[in-house]
Amino acid sequence: MRLGGNASYVAEVTTPEQLQQVYQNAKKMNQPVYVIGGGSNLIAHDDGFAGVIILNKIPGIDIIADDTTSTTIRAGGGEIWDNLVKFTVDRNLAGIEAMSGIPGTVGAAPVQNIGAYGQELADTFISLEGYDTTTDSFVTLSWEDCGFSYRHSIFRGDSAGRYIISAVTLALDKRVPEPPFYESLQKYLDANDIHEYNVQTIRVAVLAVRENKLPDPAKLPNAGSFFKNAIVEQWKVDELRKEYPDIPTFAVDDKHVKIPAGWLIEQCELKGQVINGMKVHDGNAVVLINDSATSYADLAAAREEIISIVRDKFQIVLQQEPLELNGSINS
Ligand SMILES: Cc1cc2nc3c(=O)[nH]c(=O)nc-3n(C[C@H](O)[C@H](O)[C@H](O)COP(=O)(O)OP(=O)(O)OC[C@H]3O[C@@H](n4cnc5c(N)ncnc54)[C@H](O)[C@@H]3O)c2cc1C
């Protein structure tokens, strides 16, 4: 977002042991610690961070098991997520191809259970390894341990800041991806006469669709989707559909339905508007771009105004998706 102050110290780590050492040294010096991967889902505050930022650069992508139907891959937490996707797609492995192009690192992927175009990390996740700052030990956490749900896990919830993820293990499928695909993806495939569905064609389509919908943070500062899609009960959608017959929805479970946050914001005629220096992206209303904001306070004011306008119109309260660097882990 190009906002926020400086950190006192930054330490790059390339092994789990270094990670433990930096954490313990910081603790001895009474310095708070925060871990960052790519920083693409993080909002910093104006006063910066008076402590140690650990930059996770732990590398490695390895095939650790392979049979006739699936391949198990272990990747270092500091690997770039999209390099891992490319690695799997190059080997005709399915399961994460629709998550092509999501910025950030492998180690951050479980934190919000990243997802896109109908896939999410939890679908292929087997386990992760990490440093437990509470017990000063290395641990392996299973799928059940991580408490995944829509853009959520224990790492954003009860255990926020407790674990530093050093590696993630996924099981990829040897089957060819099959329709139905996400609507915008299917539209792109049809429009470009792509009828042979495989992980390569899906990756190419996803990257092209994303390029149109998501501004490049290097050119227009943004954190991707700024709001989570709203999850509401079915009766709420039935009520809204009377006034908005074309409301887009996605089933979550028997009782709950997802409404795109971007659609809600667009209906409030906020697309393209600049509020306190933050611009609601013309192409995709769920993305906020730092147009002329100079402080975290500007961003917070814009966020509150958008939330309040959407709440007044739909009685739905949007939630921010990016996390905030405003405390230390274990503080
Ligand atoms: C243009 C754009 C498009 C995006 N599209 C999508 C999308 O389609 N789907 C989606 O789900 N997300 C999307 N995002 C959000 C972002 O890409 C993901 O949340 C990604 O996982 C963040 O990775 P990162 O390494 O940059 O994490 P950071 O921003 O560095 O960190 C995010 C949080 O995770 C914690 N964290 C980071 N690494 C570790 C670790 N090793 N151990 C423990 N905690 C850790 C941090 O402390 C912080 O709380 C998008 C962002 C942008 C800017």
Side-chain angles (χ1 to χ4, degrees), residues 34-41 56 102-105 108 112 114-115 163 165 210 223-224 323:
Y34 198 90
V35 64
I36 293 185
S40 55
N41 210 38
N56 184 351
I102 298 182
T105 54
Q112 72 157 7
I114 58 168
Y163 301 101
I165 299 162
R210 289 183 71 94
L323 289 153

mmCIF file with all atom_site columns, all heavy atoms in Angstrom, residues 34-41 56 102-105 108 112 114-115 163 165 210 223-224 323, ligand 1:
data_model
loop_
_atom_site.group_PDB
_atom_site.id
_atom_site.type_symbol
_atom_site.label_atom_id
_atom_site.label_alt_id
_atom_site.label_comp_id
_atom_site.label_asym_id
_atom_site.label_entity_id
_atom_site.label_seq_id
_atom_site.pdbx_PDB_ins_code
_atom_site.Cartn_x
_atom_site.Cartn_y
_atom_site.Cartn_z
_atom_site.occupancy
_atom_site.B_iso_or_equiv
_atom_site.pdbx_formal_charge
_atom_site.auth_seq_id
_atom_site.auth_comp_id
_atom_site.auth_asym_id
_atom_site.auth_atom_id
_atom_site.pdbx_PDB_model_num
ATOM   1   N N   . TYR A 1 34  ? 8.090  -9.758  14.275  1.00 0.00 ? 34  TYR A N   1
ATOM   2   C CA  . TYR A 1 34  ? 6.979  -9.996  13.335  1.00 0.00 ? 34  TYR A CA  1
ATOM   3   C C   . TYR A 1 34  ? 7.570  -10.643 12.093  1.00 0.00 ? 34  TYR A C   1
ATOM   4   O O   . TYR A 1 34  ? 8.660  -10.276 11.659  1.00 0.00 ? 34  TYR A O   1
ATOM   5   C CB  . TYR A 1 34  ? 6.293  -8.665  12.977  1.00 0.00 ? 34  TYR A CB  1
ATOM   6   C CG  . TYR A 1 34  ? 4.918  -8.876  12.386  1.00 0.00 ? 34  TYR A CG  1
ATOM   7   C CD1 . TYR A 1 34  ? 3.786  -8.931  13.196  1.00 0.00 ? 34  TYR A CD1 1
ATOM   8   C CD2 . TYR A 1 34  ? 4.753  -9.033  11.015  1.00 0.00 ? 34  TYR A CD2 1
ATOM   9   C CE1 . TYR A 1 34  ? 2.527  -9.140  12.665  1.00 0.00 ? 34  TYR A CE1 1
ATOM   10  C CE2 . TYR A 1 34  ? 3.486  -9.246  10.480  1.00 0.00 ? 34  TYR A CE2 1
ATOM   11  C CZ  . TYR A 1 34  ? 2.387  -9.293  11.304  1.00 0.00 ? 34  TYR A CZ  1
ATOM   12  O OH  . TYR A 1 34  ? 1.136  -9.503  10.780  1.00 0.00 ? 34  TYR A OH  1
ATOM   13  N N   . VAL A 1 35  ? 6.874  -11.638 11.536  1.00 0.00 ? 35  VAL A N   1
ATOM   14  C CA  . VAL A 1 35  ? 7.390  -12.321 10.343  1.00 0.00 ? 35  VAL A CA  1
ATOM   15  C C   . VAL A 1 35  ? 6.644  -11.848 9.098   1.00 0.00 ? 35  VAL A C   1
ATOM   16  O O   . VAL A 1 35  ? 5.428  -11.669 9.108   1.00 0.00 ? 35  VAL A O   1
ATOM   17  C CB  . VAL A 1 35  ? 7.324  -13.863 10.493  1.00 0.00 ? 35  VAL A CB  1
ATOM   18  C CG1 . VAL A 1 35  ? 5.896  -14.354 10.614  1.00 0.00 ? 35  VAL A CG1 1
ATOM   19  C CG2 . VAL A 1 35  ? 7.995  -14.557 9.311   1.00 0.00 ? 35  VAL A CG2 1
ATOM   20  N N   . ILE A 1 36  ? 7.422  -11.616 8.039   1.00 0.00 ? 36  ILE A N   1
ATOM   21  C CA  . ILE A 1 36  ? 6.847  -11.191 6.750   1.00 0.00 ? 36  ILE A CA  1
ATOM   22  C C   . ILE A 1 36  ? 7.359  -12.124 5.655   1.00 0.00 ? 36  ILE A C   1
ATOM   23  O O   . ILE A 1 36  ? 8.515  -12.553 5.671   1.00 0.00 ? 36  ILE A O   1
ATOM   24  C CB  . ILE A 1 36  ? 7.261  -9.727  6.427   1.00 0.00 ? 36  ILE A CB  1
ATOM   25  C CG1 . ILE A 1 36  ? 6.609  -8.760  7.419   1.00 0.00 ? 36  ILE A CG1 1
ATOM   26  C CG2 . ILE A 1 36  ? 6.857  -9.339  5.008   1.00 0.00 ? 36  ILE A CG2 1
ATOM   27  C CD1 . ILE A 1 36  ? 6.870  -7.289  7.110   1.00 0.00 ? 36  ILE A CD1 1
ATOM   28  N N   . GLY A 1 37  ? 6.469  -12.453 4.716   1.00 0.00 ? 37  GLY A N   1
ATOM   29  C CA  . GLY A 1 37  ? 6.880  -13.195 3.526   1.00 0.00 ? 37  GLY A CA  1
ATOM   30  C C   . GLY A 1 37  ? 7.147  -12.180 2.431   1.00 0.00 ? 37  GLY A C   1
ATOM   31  O O   . GLY A 1 37  ? 8.229  -11.610 2.326   1.00 0.00 ? 37  GLY A O   1
ATOM   32  N N   . GLY A 1 38  ? 6.119  -11.905 1.619   1.00 0.00 ? 38  GLY A N   1
ATOM   33  C CA  . GLY A 1 38  ? 6.262  -10.904 0.558   1.00 0.00 ? 38  GLY A CA  1
ATOM   34  C C   . GLY A 1 38  ? 5.668  -9.557  0.941   1.00 0.00 ? 38  GLY A C   1
ATOM   35  O O   . GLY A 1 38  ? 5.809  -8.585  0.210   1.00 0.00 ? 38  GLY A O   1
ATOM   36  N N   . GLY A 1 39  ? 4.954  -9.517  2.047   1.00 0.00 ? 39  GLY A N   1
ATOM   37  C CA  . GLY A 1 39  ? 4.333  -8.252  2.487   1.00 0.00 ? 39  GLY A CA  1
ATOM   38  C C   . GLY A 1 39  ? 3.129  -7.841  1.649   1.00 0.00 ? 39  GLY A C   1
ATOM   39  O O   . GLY A 1 39  ? 2.658  -6.710  1.742   1.00 0.00 ? 39  GLY A O   1
ATOM   40  N N   . SER A 1 40  ? 2.598  -8.765  0.852   1.00 0.00 ? 40  SER A N   1
ATOM   41  C CA  . SER A 1 40  ? 1.522  -8.370  -0.071  1.00 0.00 ? 40  SER A CA  1
ATOM   42  C C   . SER A 1 40  ? 0.147  -8.367  0.578   1.00 0.00 ? 40  SER A C   1
ATOM   43  O O   . SER A 1 40  ? -0.810 -7.889  -0.025  1.00 0.00 ? 40  SER A O   1
ATOM   44  C CB  . SER A 1 40  ? 1.517  -9.281  -1.294  1.00 0.00 ? 40  SER A CB  1
ATOM   45  O OG  . SER A 1 40  ? 1.432  -10.619 -0.900  1.00 0.00 ? 40  SER A OG  1
ATOM   46  N N   . ASN A 1 41  ? 0.035  -8.888  1.786   1.00 0.00 ? 41  ASN A N   1
ATOM   47  C CA  . ASN A 1 41  ? -1.272 -8.906  2.447   1.00 0.00 ? 41  ASN A CA  1
ATOM   48  C C   . ASN A 1 41  ? -1.184 -8.260  3.824   1.00 0.00 ? 41  ASN A C   1
ATOM   49  O O   . ASN A 1 41  ? -1.789 -8.720  4.776   1.00 0.00 ? 41  ASN A O   1
ATOM   50  C CB  . ASN A 1 41  ? -1.771 -10.348 2.583   1.00 0.00 ? 41  ASN A CB  1
ATOM   51  C CG  . ASN A 1 41  ? -3.278 -10.421 2.560   1.00 0.00 ? 41  ASN A CG  1
ATOM   52  O OD1 . ASN A 1 41  ? -3.914 -9.680  1.820   1.00 0.00 ? 41  ASN A OD1 1
ATOM   53  N ND2 . ASN A 1 41  ? -3.861 -11.280 3.374   1.00 0.00 ? 41  ASN A ND2 1
ATOM   54  N N   . ASN A 1 56  ? 11.108 -14.157 5.798   1.00 0.00 ? 56  ASN A N   1
ATOM   55  C CA  . ASN A 1 56  ? 11.241 -15.593 5.558   1.00 0.00 ? 56  ASN A CA  1
ATOM   56  C C   . ASN A 1 56  ? 11.736 -15.854 4.139   1.00 0.00 ? 56  ASN A C   1
ATOM   57  O O   . ASN A 1 56  ? 11.042 -15.588 3.166   1.00 0.00 ? 56  ASN A O   1
ATOM   58  C CB  . ASN A 1 56  ? 9.874  -16.253 5.772   1.00 0.00 ? 56  ASN A CB  1
ATOM   59  C CG  . ASN A 1 56  ? 9.931  -17.758 5.629   1.00 0.00 ? 56  ASN A CG  1
ATOM   60  O OD1 . ASN A 1 56  ? 10.953 -18.319 5.205   1.00 0.00 ? 56  ASN A OD1 1
ATOM   61  N ND2 . ASN A 1 56  ? 8.863  -18.426 5.986   1.00 0.00 ? 56  ASN A ND2 1
ATOM   62  N N   . ILE A 1 102 ? -1.080 -15.656 -7.540  1.00 0.00 ? 102 ILE A N   1
ATOM   63  C CA  . ILE A 1 102 ? -1.322 -15.018 -6.230  1.00 0.00 ? 102 ILE A CA  1
ATOM   64  C C   . ILE A 1 102 ? 0.034  -14.574 -5.684  1.00 0.00 ? 102 ILE A C   1
ATOM   65  O O   . ILE A 1 102 ? 0.958  -15.376 -5.587  1.00 0.00 ? 102 ILE A O   1
ATOM   66  C CB  . ILE A 1 102 ? -2.011 -15.991 -5.235  1.00 0.00 ? 102 ILE A CB  1
ATOM   67  C CG1 . ILE A 1 102 ? -3.387 -16.417 -5.770  1.00 0.00 ? 102 ILE A CG1 1
ATOM   68  C CG2 . ILE A 1 102 ? -2.143 -15.348 -3.858  1.00 0.00 ? 102 ILE A CG2 1
ATOM   69  C CD1 . ILE A 1 102 ? -4.171 -17.331 -4.831  1.00 0.00 ? 102 ILE A CD1 1
ATOM   70  N N   . PRO A 1 103 ? 0.195  -13.279 -5.369  1.00 0.00 ? 103 PRO A N   1
ATOM   71  C CA  . PRO A 1 103 ? 1.495  -12.822 -4.875  1.00 0.00 ? 103 PRO A CA  1
ATOM   72  C C   . PRO A 1 103 ? 1.814  -13.403 -3.489  1.00 0.00 ? 103 PRO A C   1
ATOM   73  O O   . PRO A 1 103 ? 0.904  -13.804 -2.772  1.00 0.00 ? 103 PRO A O   1
ATOM   74  C CB  . PRO A 1 103 ? 1.337  -11.300 -4.763  1.00 0.00 ? 103 PRO A CB  1
ATOM   75  C CG  . PRO A 1 103 ? 0.046  -10.949 -5.385  1.00 0.00 ? 103 PRO A CG  1
ATOM   76  C CD  . PRO A 1 103 ? -0.791 -12.188 -5.417  1.00 0.00 ? 103 PRO A CD  1
ATOM   77  N N   . GLY A 1 104 ? 3.104  -13.392 -3.147  1.00 0.00 ? 104 GLY A N   1
ATOM   78  C CA  . GLY A 1 104 ? 3.486  -13.794 -1.788  1.00 0.00 ? 104 GLY A CA  1
ATOM   79  C C   . GLY A 1 104 ? 4.210  -15.118 -1.738  1.00 0.00 ? 104 GLY A C   1
ATOM   80  O O   . GLY A 1 104 ? 4.567  -15.707 -2.760  1.00 0.00 ? 104 GLY A O   1
ATOM   81  N N   . THR A 1 105 ? 4.414  -15.584 -0.511  1.00 0.00 ? 105 THR A N   1
ATOM   82  C CA  . THR A 1 105 ? 5.253  -16.753 -0.262  1.00 0.00 ? 105 THR A CA  1
ATOM   83  C C   . THR A 1 105 ? 4.423  -17.991 0.106   1.00 0.00 ? 105 THR A C   1
ATOM   84  O O   . THR A 1 105 ? 3.258  -17.884 0.500   1.00 0.00 ? 105 THR A O   1
ATOM   85  C CB  . THR A 1 105 ? 6.215  -16.464 0.912   1.00 0.00 ? 105 THR A CB  1
ATOM   86  O OG1 . THR A 1 105 ? 5.428  -16.039 2.029   1.00 0.00 ? 105 THR A OG1 1
ATOM   87  C CG2 . THR A 1 105 ? 7.230  -15.399 0.560   1.00 0.00 ? 105 THR A CG2 1
ATOM   88  N N   . ALA A 1 108 ? 3.207  -18.022 3.816   1.00 0.00 ? 108 ALA A N   1
ATOM   89  C CA  . ALA A 1 108 ? 2.039  -17.206 4.174   1.00 0.00 ? 108 ALA A CA  1
ATOM   90  C C   . ALA A 1 108 ? 0.747  -17.840 3.661   1.00 0.00 ? 108 ALA A C   1
ATOM   91  O O   . ALA A 1 108 ? -0.335 -17.470 4.123   1.00 0.00 ? 108 ALA A O   1
ATOM   92  C CB  . ALA A 1 108 ? 2.183  -15.801 3.593   1.00 0.00 ? 108 ALA A CB  1
ATOM   93  N N   . GLN A 1 112 ? -4.028 -17.304 5.481   1.00 0.00 ? 112 GLN A N   1
ATOM   94  C CA  . GLN A 1 112 ? -5.423 -16.979 5.172   1.00 0.00 ? 112 GLN A CA  1
ATOM   95  C C   . GLN A 1 112 ? -6.027 -18.030 4.239   1.00 0.00 ? 112 GLN A C   1
ATOM   96  O O   . GLN A 1 112 ? -6.998 -17.763 3.550   1.00 0.00 ? 112 GLN A O   1
ATOM   97  C CB  . GLN A 1 112 ? -5.559 -15.576 4.607   1.00 0.00 ? 112 GLN A CB  1
ATOM   98  C CG  . GLN A 1 112 ? -5.039 -15.380 3.202   1.00 0.00 ? 112 GLN A CG  1
ATOM   99  C CD  . GLN A 1 112 ? -5.686 -14.177 2.541   1.00 0.00 ? 112 GLN A CD  1
ATOM   100 O OE1 . GLN A 1 112 ? -6.413 -13.428 3.171   1.00 0.00 ? 112 GLN A OE1 1
ATOM   101 N NE2 . GLN A 1 112 ? -5.440 -14.005 1.252   1.00 0.00 ? 112 GLN A NE2 1
ATOM   102 N N   . ILE A 1 114 ? -5.161 -19.270 1.296   1.00 0.00 ? 114 ILE A N   1
ATOM   103 C CA  . ILE A 1 114 ? -5.333 -18.527 0.035   1.00 0.00 ? 114 ILE A CA  1
ATOM   104 C C   . ILE A 1 114 ? -6.206 -19.299 -0.940  1.00 0.00 ? 114 ILE A C   1
ATOM   105 O O   . ILE A 1 114 ? -6.237 -20.535 -0.920  1.00 0.00 ? 114 ILE A O   1
ATOM   106 C CB  . ILE A 1 114 ? -3.975 -18.177 -0.641  1.00 0.00 ? 114 ILE A CB  1
ATOM   107 C CG1 . ILE A 1 114 ? -3.148 -19.430 -0.935  1.00 0.00 ? 114 ILE A CG1 1
ATOM   108 C CG2 . ILE A 1 114 ? -3.211 -17.161 0.161   1.00 0.00 ? 114 ILE A CG2 1
ATOM   109 C CD1 . ILE A 1 114 ? -1.966 -19.158 -1.854  1.00 0.00 ? 114 ILE A CD1 1
ATOM   110 N N   . GLY A 1 115 ? -6.875 -18.559 -1.782  1.00 0.00 ? 115 GLY A N   1
ATOM   111 C CA  . GLY A 1 115 ? -7.752 -19.212 -2.741  1.00 0.00 ? 115 GLY A CA  1
ATOM   112 C C   . GLY A 1 115 ? -8.066 -18.307 -3.907  1.00 0.00 ? 115 GLY A C   1
ATOM   113 O O   . GLY A 1 115 ? -7.920 -17.090 -3.819  1.00 0.00 ? 115 GLY A O   1
ATOM   114 N N   . TYR A 1 163 ? 3.040  -19.401 15.532  1.00 0.00 ? 163 TYR A N   1
ATOM   115 C CA  . TYR A 1 163 ? 3.904  -20.257 14.708  1.00 0.00 ? 163 TYR A CA  1
ATOM   116 C C   . TYR A 1 163 ? 4.543  -19.467 13.575  1.00 0.00 ? 163 TYR A C   1
ATOM   117 O O   . TYR A 1 163 ? 3.884  -18.620 12.965  1.00 0.00 ? 163 TYR A O   1
ATOM   118 C CB  . TYR A 1 163 ? 3.081  -21.381 14.078  1.00 0.00 ? 163 TYR A CB  1
ATOM   119 C CG  . TYR A 1 163 ? 2.393  -22.265 15.095  1.00 0.00 ? 163 TYR A CG  1
ATOM   120 C CD1 . TYR A 1 163 ? 1.040  -22.101 15.371  1.00 0.00 ? 163 TYR A CD1 1
ATOM   121 C CD2 . TYR A 1 163 ? 3.106  -23.242 15.784  1.00 0.00 ? 163 TYR A CD2 1
ATOM   122 C CE1 . TYR A 1 163 ? 0.397  -22.904 16.306  1.00 0.00 ? 163 TYR A CE1 1
ATOM   123 C CE2 . TYR A 1 163 ? 2.476  -24.049 16.725  1.00 0.00 ? 163 TYR A CE2 1
ATOM   124 C CZ  . TYR A 1 163 ? 1.122  -23.875 16.977  1.00 0.00 ? 163 TYR A CZ  1
ATOM   125 O OH  . TYR A 1 163 ? 0.493  -24.662 17.904  1.00 0.00 ? 163 TYR A OH  1
ATOM   126 N N   . ILE A 1 165 ? 5.898  -20.364 9.957   1.00 0.00 ? 165 ILE A N   1
ATOM   127 C CA  . ILE A 1 165 ? 5.808  -21.524 9.060   1.00 0.00 ? 165 ILE A CA  1
ATOM   128 C C   . ILE A 1 165 ? 7.072  -21.627 8.202   1.00 0.00 ? 165 ILE A C   1
ATOM   129 O O   . ILE A 1 165 ? 7.431  -20.685 7.489   1.00 0.00 ? 165 ILE A O   1
ATOM   130 C CB  . ILE A 1 165 ? 4.532  -21.407 8.188   1.00 0.00 ? 165 ILE A CB  1
ATOM   131 C CG1 . ILE A 1 165 ? 3.295  -21.384 9.102   1.00 0.00 ? 165 ILE A CG1 1
ATOM   132 C CG2 . ILE A 1 165 ? 4.456  -22.531 7.158   1.00 0.00 ? 165 ILE A CG2 1
ATOM   133 C CD1 . ILE A 1 165 ? 2.026  -20.859 8.445   1.00 0.00 ? 165 ILE A CD1 1
ATOM   134 N N   . ARG A 1 210 ? -6.523 -12.602 -14.308 1.00 0.00 ? 210 ARG A N   1
ATOM   135 C CA  . ARG A 1 210 ? -6.039 -11.816 -13.159 1.00 0.00 ? 210 ARG A CA  1
ATOM   136 C C   . ARG A 1 210 ? -5.430 -10.492 -13.623 1.00 0.00 ? 210 ARG A C   1
ATOM   137 O O   . ARG A 1 210 ? -5.612 -9.465  -12.991 1.00 0.00 ? 210 ARG A O   1
ATOM   138 C CB  . ARG A 1 210 ? -4.987 -12.610 -12.367 1.00 0.00 ? 210 ARG A CB  1
ATOM   139 C CG  . ARG A 1 210 ? -5.544 -13.781 -11.599 1.00 0.00 ? 210 ARG A CG  1
ATOM   140 C CD  . ARG A 1 210 ? -4.435 -14.445 -10.794 1.00 0.00 ? 210 ARG A CD  1
ATOM   141 N NE  . ARG A 1 210 ? -4.037 -13.594 -9.699  1.00 0.00 ? 210 ARG A NE  1
ATOM   142 C CZ  . ARG A 1 210 ? -4.536 -13.674 -8.457  1.00 0.00 ? 210 ARG A CZ  1
ATOM   143 N NH1 . ARG A 1 210 ? -5.415 -14.601 -8.170  1.00 0.00 ? 210 ARG A NH1 1
ATOM   144 N NH2 . ARG A 1 210 ? -4.129 -12.861 -7.519  1.00 0.00 ? 210 ARG A NH2 1
ATOM   145 N N   . ALA A 1 223 ? -3.390 -4.148  -2.046  1.00 0.00 ? 223 ALA A N   1
ATOM   146 C CA  . ALA A 1 223 ? -3.169 -5.416  -1.338  1.00 0.00 ? 223 ALA A CA  1
ATOM   147 C C   . ALA A 1 223 ? -4.113 -6.495  -1.865  1.00 0.00 ? 223 ALA A C   1
ATOM   148 O O   . ALA A 1 223 ? -4.550 -7.362  -1.113  1.00 0.00 ? 223 ALA A O   1
ATOM   149 C CB  . ALA A 1 223 ? -3.365 -5.209  0.157   1.00 0.00 ? 223 ALA A CB  1
ATOM   150 N N   . GLY A 1 224 ? -4.446 -6.432  -3.146  1.00 0.00 ? 224 GLY A N   1
ATOM   151 C CA  . GLY A 1 224 ? -5.399 -7.404  -3.702  1.00 0.00 ? 224 GLY A CA  1
ATOM   152 C C   . GLY A 1 224 ? -6.798 -7.088  -3.184  1.00 0.00 ? 224 GLY A C   1
ATOM   153 O O   . GLY A 1 224 ? -7.138 -5.923  -2.967  1.00 0.00 ? 224 GLY A O   1
ATOM   154 N N   . LEU A 1 323 ? -3.998 -8.287  6.684   1.00 0.00 ? 323 LEU A N   1
ATOM   155 C CA  . LEU A 1 323 ? -3.702 -8.192  8.114   1.00 0.00 ? 323 LEU A CA  1
ATOM   156 C C   . LEU A 1 323 ? -2.962 -6.883  8.399   1.00 0.00 ? 323 LEU A C   1
ATOM   157 O O   . LEU A 1 323 ? -2.475 -6.231  7.485   1.00 0.00 ? 323 LEU A O   1
ATOM   158 C CB  . LEU A 1 323 ? -2.863 -9.397  8.533   1.00 0.00 ? 323 LEU A CB  1
ATOM   159 C CG  . LEU A 1 323 ? -3.675 -10.688 8.541   1.00 0.00 ? 323 LEU A CG  1
ATOM   160 C CD1 . LEU A 1 323 ? -2.794 -11.890 8.303   1.00 0.00 ? 323 LEU A CD1 1
ATOM   161 C CD2 . LEU A 1 323 ? -4.417 -10.818 9.862   1.00 0.00 ? 323 LEU A CD2 1
HETATM 162 C C1  . LIG B 2 .   ? -2.517 -7.949  -6.324  1.00 0.00 ? 1   LIG B C1  1
HETATM 163 C C2  . LIG B 2 .   ? -2.835 -8.942  -5.253  1.00 0.00 ? 1   LIG B C2  1
HETATM 164 C C3  . LIG B 2 .   ? -3.644 -10.032 -5.547  1.00 0.00 ? 1   LIG B C3  1
HETATM 165 C C4  . LIG B 2 .   ? -3.976 -10.956 -4.556  1.00 0.00 ? 1   LIG B C4  1
HETATM 166 N N1  . LIG B 2 .   ? -4.771 -12.021 -4.889  1.00 0.00 ? 1   LIG B N1  1
HETATM 167 C C5  . LIG B 2 .   ? -5.113 -12.928 -3.951  1.00 0.00 ? 1   LIG B C5  1
HETATM 168 C C6  . LIG B 2 .   ? -5.959 -14.041 -4.269  1.00 0.00 ? 1   LIG B C6  1
HETATM 169 O O1  . LIG B 2 .   ? -6.392 -14.210 -5.401  1.00 0.00 ? 1   LIG B O1  1
HETATM 170 N N2  . LIG B 2 .   ? -6.262 -14.923 -3.285  1.00 0.00 ? 1   LIG B N2  1
HETATM 171 C C7  . LIG B 2 .   ? -5.781 -14.794 -2.011  1.00 0.00 ? 1   LIG B C7  1
HETATM 172 O O2  . LIG B 2 .   ? -6.094 -15.640 -1.177  1.00 0.00 ? 1   LIG B O2  1
HETATM 173 N N3  . LIG B 2 .   ? -4.962 -13.757 -1.683  1.00 0.00 ? 1   LIG B N3  1
HETATM 174 C C8  . LIG B 2 .   ? -4.623 -12.834 -2.606  1.00 0.00 ? 1   LIG B C8  1
HETATM 175 N N4  . LIG B 2 .   ? -3.822 -11.764 -2.282  1.00 0.00 ? 1   LIG B N4  1
HETATM 176 C C9  . LIG B 2 .   ? -3.289 -11.669 -0.917  1.00 0.00 ? 1   LIG B C9  1
HETATM 177 C C10 . LIG B 2 .   ? -1.869 -12.258 -0.765  1.00 0.00 ? 1   LIG B C10 1
HETATM 178 O O3  . LIG B 2 .   ? -1.315 -12.556 -1.997  1.00 0.00 ? 1   LIG B O3  1
HETATM 179 C C11 . LIG B 2 .   ? -1.905 -13.535 0.090   1.00 0.00 ? 1   LIG B C11 1
HETATM 180 O O4  . LIG B 2 .   ? -2.481 -13.290 1.344   1.00 0.00 ? 1   LIG B O4  1
HETATM 181 C C12 . LIG B 2 .   ? -0.488 -14.106 0.315   1.00 0.00 ? 1   LIG B C12 1
HETATM 182 O O5  . LIG B 2 .   ? -0.582 -15.342 0.961   1.00 0.00 ? 1   LIG B O5  1
HETATM 183 C C13 . LIG B 2 .   ? 0.387  -13.172 1.116   1.00 0.00 ? 1   LIG B C13 1
HETATM 184 O O6  . LIG B 2 .   ? 1.695  -13.669 1.095   1.00 0.00 ? 1   LIG B O6  1
HETATM 185 P P1  . LIG B 2 .   ? 2.905  -12.811 1.632   1.00 0.00 ? 1   LIG B P1  1
HETATM 186 O O7  . LIG B 2 .   ? 4.100  -13.695 1.653   1.00 0.00 ? 1   LIG B O7  1
HETATM 187 O O8  . LIG B 2 .   ? 3.033  -11.543 0.864   1.00 0.00 ? 1   LIG B O8  1
HETATM 188 O O9  . LIG B 2 .   ? 2.398  -12.526 3.125   1.00 0.00 ? 1   LIG B O9  1
HETATM 189 P P2  . LIG B 2 .   ? 2.679  -11.220 4.012   1.00 0.00 ? 1   LIG B P2  1
HETATM 190 O O10 . LIG B 2 .   ? 1.861  -10.094 3.490   1.00 0.00 ? 1   LIG B O10 1
HETATM 191 O O11 . LIG B 2 .   ? 4.133  -11.019 4.184   1.00 0.00 ? 1   LIG B O11 1
HETATM 192 O O12 . LIG B 2 .   ? 2.053  -11.715 5.404   1.00 0.00 ? 1   LIG B O12 1
HETATM 193 C C14 . LIG B 2 .   ? 0.675  -11.883 5.565   1.00 0.00 ? 1   LIG B C14 1
HETATM 194 C C15 . LIG B 2 .   ? 0.425  -12.433 6.988   1.00 0.00 ? 1   LIG B C15 1
HETATM 195 O O13 . LIG B 2 .   ? 0.957  -13.736 7.081   1.00 0.00 ? 1   LIG B O13 1
HETATM 196 C C16 . LIG B 2 .   ? 1.929  -13.801 8.119   1.00 0.00 ? 1   LIG B C16 1
HETATM 197 N N5  . LIG B 2 .   ? 3.012  -14.648 7.638   1.00 0.00 ? 1   LIG B N5  1
HETATM 198 C C17 . LIG B 2 .   ? 3.761  -14.464 6.512   1.00 0.00 ? 1   LIG B C17 1
HETATM 199 N N6  . LIG B 2 .   ? 4.662  -15.457 6.400   1.00 0.00 ? 1   LIG B N6  1
HETATM 200 C C18 . LIG B 2 .   ? 4.496  -16.271 7.477   1.00 0.00 ? 1   LIG B C18 1
HETATM 201 C C19 . LIG B 2 .   ? 5.139  -17.454 7.935   1.00 0.00 ? 1   LIG B C19 1
HETATM 202 N N7  . LIG B 2 .   ? 6.145  -18.024 7.261   1.00 0.00 ? 1   LIG B N7  1
HETATM 203 N N8  . LIG B 2 .   ? 4.706  -18.006 9.099   1.00 0.00 ? 1   LIG B N8  1
HETATM 204 C C20 . LIG B 2 .   ? 3.687  -17.463 9.811   1.00 0.00 ? 1   LIG B C20 1
HETATM 205 N N9  . LIG B 2 .   ? 3.048  -16.325 9.434   1.00 0.00 ? 1   LIG B N9  1
HETATM 206 C C21 . LIG B 2 .   ? 3.446  -15.751 8.271   1.00 0.00 ? 1   LIG B C21 1
HETATM 207 C C22 . LIG B 2 .   ? 2.394  -12.373 8.347   1.00 0.00 ? 1   LIG B C22 1
HETATM 208 O O14 . LIG B 2 .   ? 2.886  -12.206 9.676   1.00 0.00 ? 1   LIG B O14 1
HETATM 209 C C23 . LIG B 2 .   ? 1.118  -11.607 8.081   1.00 0.00 ? 1   LIG B C23 1
HETATM 210 O O15 . LIG B 2 .   ? 0.315  -11.632 9.230   1.00 0.00 ? 1   LIG B O15 1
HETATM 211 C C24 . LIG B 2 .   ? -3.463 -10.806 -3.256  1.00 0.00 ? 1   LIG B C24 1
HETATM 212 C C25 . LIG B 2 .   ? -2.615 -9.720  -2.952  1.00 0.00 ? 1   LIG B C25 1
HETATM 213 C C26 . LIG B 2 .   ? -2.303 -8.789  -3.939  1.00 0.00 ? 1   LIG B C26 1
HETATM 214 C C27 . LIG B 2 .   ? -1.406 -7.651  -3.604  1.00 0.00 ? 1   LIG B C27 1
#
